[in-house]
Amino acid sequence: MSRTKDVKLDCQAHTQENASNLDETHRGPEARHKRREAVLHNNRGVAYANKGDYELAVEAFTNAIELNPNLAMAYSNRGGAYRDKGDYDRALEDCTRAIELNPDLAMAYNNRGGAYERRGDYDRAIEDLSKAIAFKPDLGEAYGNRGGAYANIGNYDRAIIDYTNAITLNPNDPQSYNNRGVAHYKKGDYDRAIVDYTKAIELKPDFAEAYYNRAEAWLHLGEWENAQSNLTAAVRMGVDISDGFRNEYASVSDFERRNGVKLPADLAAMLTLQQ
């Protein structure tokens, strides 16, 4: 069980514009005032998006764009908000417009790449996210998102490299540790996976997904007590553990047969009840 990290938005909106791109209606004191107001609306939209209120975020970014149609960052941010709403077509449209206005805008490539990744277009996602990293090598979100794209095509070595870079840039991000743990798990490196899941939980004690993922790794190592305690924690936090277990195994007996083990009765009963 893993997901890519949500794309973050940028409140430092670009306010410099090429005057040759502005017609007479966008010049002069009144136009400058509108551009300043556009930045305020953009930043208000970022605040809404960070709270998860994407409807109000989209409204604020739209207001910014109406006030300043050349504000590339507002298009990029609105694209990020649409992405997090699951409206990938509008996200791609907005991010593409942002890139047309500012071809060097790393966050626009990051947000568009995130939309492609969510839509399952991993090759385009990797292409865009690589451009974001080229323009802004310290953009941790882009490494995390590209790691998710690599993981989804089964290139776990590249995913681990990207997640590690994301962690280096932001060592307090629990999602990156969790995602790197998943990549280690997929490679069969359960010990390293547990180290990463544990770090994710230290940073975010209510990280239900990390508890479930750590339980899976403990199962493969035959650490039944640790597995059961982590599954119990995940269930207490609202995780349907069958959602992840069924992705790999048809049943408890299927797990036992494929791994050559016999689960304790109480642990087997717990997994069975969740199916």
Side-chain angles (χ1 to χ4, degrees), residues 32-264:
R32 286 195 296 272
H33 174 73
K34 285 185 176 181
R35 291 198 293 276
R36 286 193 294 270
E37 286 293 309
V39 171
L40 293 176
H41 282 286
N42 175 78
N43 294 350
R44 187 175 296 116
V46 171
Y48 283 131
N50 287 339
K51 290 171 57 179
D53 195 335
Y54 301 117
E55 293 293 342
L56 287 177
V58 167
E59 181 180 338
F61 295 136
T62 300
N63 289 337
I65 291 166
E66 289 175 351
L67 286 163
N68 182 2
N70 292 313
L71 189 57
M73 187 58 73
Y75 284 100
S76 173
N77 284 342
R78 191 171 68 175
Y82 277 133
R83 190 208 82 143
D84 288 338
K85 285 183 60 180
D87 192 339
Y88 305 130
D89 288 337
R90 285 187 177 179
L92 294 172
E93 181 180 345
D94 270 350
C95 292
T96 298
R97 179 57 181 155
I99 291 167
E100 290 171 352
L101 289 167
N102 185 350
D104 298 338
L105 187 56
M107 189 61 77
Y109 289 104
N110 179 56
N111 289 353
R112 191 171 72 176
Y116 278 131
E117 196 276 336
R118 287 277 185 93
R119 203 172 69 169
D121 195 340
Y122 303 121
D123 290 336
R124 286 186 177 180
I126 290 169
E127 181 181 354
D128 267 353
L129 294 164
S130 296
K131 287 180 180 177
I133 291 167
F135 284 122
K136 190 172 174 57
D138 63 346
L139 187 56
E141 294 90 341
Y143 287 103
N145 290 327
R146 191 174 68 176
Y150 277 129
N152 276 304
I153 62 174
N155 192 338
Y156 301 116
D157 289 328
R158 290 294 300 270
I160 288 169
I161 291 171
D162 272 348
Y163 290 138
T164 300
N165 283 326
I167 288 168
T168 299
L169 291 164
N170 185 2
N172 295 315
D173 175 35
Q175 189 68 54
S176 291
Y177 286 101
N178 179 69
N179 288 349
R180 189 173 68 177
V182 171
H184 282 308
Y185 174 88
K186 292 293 187 179
K187 291 186 65 182
D189 194 341
Y190 305 121
D191 288 319
R192 286 189 179 181
I194 287 170
V195 169
D196 275 342
Y197 297 143
T198 300
K199 182 62 176 178
I201 291 167
E202 288 174 359
L203 291 168
K204 185 180 179 183
D206 61 347
F207 200 165
E209 181 184 328
Y211 278 102
Y212 173 80
N213 289 341
R214 190 167 66 173
E216 277 196 321
W218 284 126
L219 281 173
H220 283 278
L221 290 173
E223 296 283 351
W224 310 131
E225 185 175 342
N226 285 329
Q228 186 162 355
S229 66
N230 278 262
L231 286 173
T232 300
V235 171
R236 188 183 302 120
M237 295 176 190
V239 174
D240 177 1
I241 62 178
S242 66
D243 181 49
F245 193 75
R246 283 181 175 173
N247 285 335
E248 293 191 70
Y249 303 101
S251 63
V252 168
S253 60
D254 181 41
F255 174 88
E256 293 176 330
R257 177 182 58 78
R258 288 165 61 182
N259 291 281
V261 297
K262 181 67 176 177
L263 292 178

